[in-house]
Amino acid sequence: MQLQPVPAQHRQTNYIPSPLLDPPVVLPLPSWTSDIDEAKSHLSEYGMCVLTDVLASDEIDQLRHALERQSDAERLLDSQAPPGANSNRQSISNLVNKGKVFLDLVEHSVSDNLAGFLLGKSFLLSSITGNLCRAPVEEPQPLHRDQGYVPATVDFPAACNLLWCLDDFCPENGGTCVVPGSHRWHAEFQVKPPPRELSVQITAPVGSVFAWDGRVWHGYGPNETGEPRRAVITYYCLPWVRQQENWGISCLQEVLDEASPKLRNRMGLHTYGTLGGISGTRTTTTATKAYLGNYDVELPSHIIGEAGKLHRLRRVSRID
């Protein structure tokens, strides 16, 4: 029996790839759109989209307030402050523990639609980070690909970013530098970053979402004006890719206890085939779960050690 070849493609999603760009040319920036289907089309063609009118004014105010409050609090941690807390461009990591208003973005229908289009329904939250510029930032970020840990020969998105704009983004205040269409280049052009001169800077209105494919070359730009530029970035990945944040250690137990089934799944408390289980003492789902299927993960009370010794599964908590 002779096997018939089948073109290699990512069959876990509804993503429809656009043809390779040969030679590797840079496309123009896609226009803004408020239509979700057009945004998906832009993700396929350009590797990015700007979806407008996503966040209402009250949601923007709540996110700004929560981000500013967290920023001020982390700056006051002195020697315990995270790296870069007192720099002109502050990055606030692990927002899952820092307010429900941030977690709502993970469950937002736009996350379902855009990340789900690129990565399929079982995608995971890899990290959620806040970014603030409070003063001029001269140095741009080096161009990089967010799935640089995946072989360049992989011809489908393994990760994507959704940047939730809490201010207007423009070249003057450091709008992200991108190389539109670079996700459609041959593998040999996806190993080393292209010359920065090939990149262009985005503009996006406050309340919009700027989304991009993990294969696209990009990096934040210099903020020449020093005007506030605030954003929350939700970074998603395929269910078999290791997450950027190790939620099993850093996520508060109370966050998991209060999370909806969707949020628990996004954080990895749902198996994907044989991946993502937690083996320990018996749980209520032990007798019914299908070990080769997908099921919600319940944390056991104890991990079983040598000679059957039980070790309590301790979790980081709001209670010291």
Side-chain angles (χ1 to χ4, degrees), residues 194-215:
R196 191 164 199 95
E197 295 74 29
L198 293 181
S199 68
V200 290
Q201 285 185 271
I202 69 156
T203 60
V206 60
S208 64
V209 168
F210 169 49
W212 66 95
D213 185 309
R215 296 169 293 173

Side-chain angles (χ1 to χ4, degrees), residues 287-303:
T288 58
K289 64 186 179 183
Y291 283 92
L292 295 179
N294 302 110
Y295 57 89
D296 292 329
V297 173
E298 184 178 346
L299 299 177
S301 61
H302 293 78
I303 300 299

Side-chain angles (χ1 to χ4, degrees), residues 18-305:
S18 294
L20 283 174
L21 293 173
D22 189 13
V25 298
V26 179
L27 300 179
L29 284 169
S31 57
W32 303 346
T33 181
S34 60
D35 182 82
I36 193 70
D37 290 326
E38 186 177 16
K40 292 176 183 178
S41 176
H42 288 173
L43 283 171
S44 175
E45 182 177 358
Y46 302 95
M48 63 192 68
C49 69
V50 174
L51 183 66
T52 59
D53 304 320
V54 175
L55 296 173
S57 58
D58 60 327
E59 292 176 303
I60 295 168
D61 289 342
Q62 290 172 17
L63 285 161
R64 283 175 172 174
H65 175 71
L67 198 60
E68 292 282 359
R69 181 181 60 187
Q70 189 66 35
S71 167
D72 293 341
E74 295 195 10
R75 285 169 175 260
L76 293 175
L77 293 177
D78 299 323
S79 62
Q80 297 276 49
N86 290 287
S87 64
N88 290 350
R89 181 186 179 276
Q90 184 181 3
S91 180
I92 303 174
S93 62
N94 202 5
L95 289 179
V96 297
N97 293 328
K98 298 171 183 177
K100 184 179 181 299
V101 65
F102 302 120
L103 294 174
D104 289 342
L105 301 180
V106 180
E107 298 192 74
H108 199 287
S109 61
V110 167
S111 290
D112 294 342
N113 275 290
L114 296 185
F117 170 68
L118 289 171
L119 306 175
K121 64 181 181 179
S122 298
F123 69 87
L124 298 179
L125 176 67
S126 186
S127 64
I128 176 169
T129 307
N131 283 329
L132 302 92
C133 279
R134 300 175 178 271
V137 176
E138 297 181 358
E139 289 296 320
Q141 186 183 32
L143 296 180
H144 62 283
R145 300 188 314 134
D146 287 329
Q147 64 183 63
Y149 45 77
V150 178
T153 50
V154 169
D155 60 353
F156 54 80
C160 70
N161 262 306
L162 272 61
L163 185 151
W164 307 76
C165 299
L166 304 184
D167 293 290
D168 291 329
F169 272 56
C170 63
E172 292 75 23
N173 70 5
T176 308
C177 300
V178 292
V179 184
S182 54
H183 68 305
R184 295 166 57 188
W185 292 358
H186 279 291
E188 54 264 37
F189 299 105
Q190 297 197 34
V191 179
K192 293 185 178 180
R196 191 164 199 95
E197 295 74 29
L198 293 181
S199 68
V200 290
Q201 285 185 271
I202 69 156
T203 60
V206 60
S208 64
V209 168
F210 169 49
W212 66 95
D213 185 309
R215 296 169 293 173
V216 168
W217 291 106
H218 70 284
Y220 64 75
N223 187 335
E224 299 171 357
T225 65
E227 295 177 355
R229 193 193 74 222
R230 293 160 289 191
V232 174
I233 302 177
T234 48
Y235 178 44
Y236 300 112
C237 64
L238 288 173
W240 44 263
V241 171
R242 187 173 186 180
Q243 290 152 282
Q244 195 169 45
E245 181 71 31
N246 196 328
W247 304 122
I249 296 174
S250 66
C251 180
L252 293 172
Q253 179 63 49
E254 289 85 354
V255 171
L256 296 182
D257 292 341
E258 297 162 7
S260 68
K262 181 196 286 188
L263 181 58
R264 286 172 62 90
N265 290 354
R266 292 284 180 264
M267 298 190 62
L269 286 180
H270 189 82
T271 63
Y272 184 74
T274 59
L275 305 178
I278 300 176
S279 299
T281 49
R282 183 182 297 274
T283 65
T284 59
T285 59
T286 300
T288 58
K289 64 186 179 183
Y291 283 92
L292 295 179
N294 302 110
Y295 57 89
D296 292 329
V297 173
E298 184 178 346
L299 299 177
S301 61
H302 293 78
I303 300 299
I304 303 173

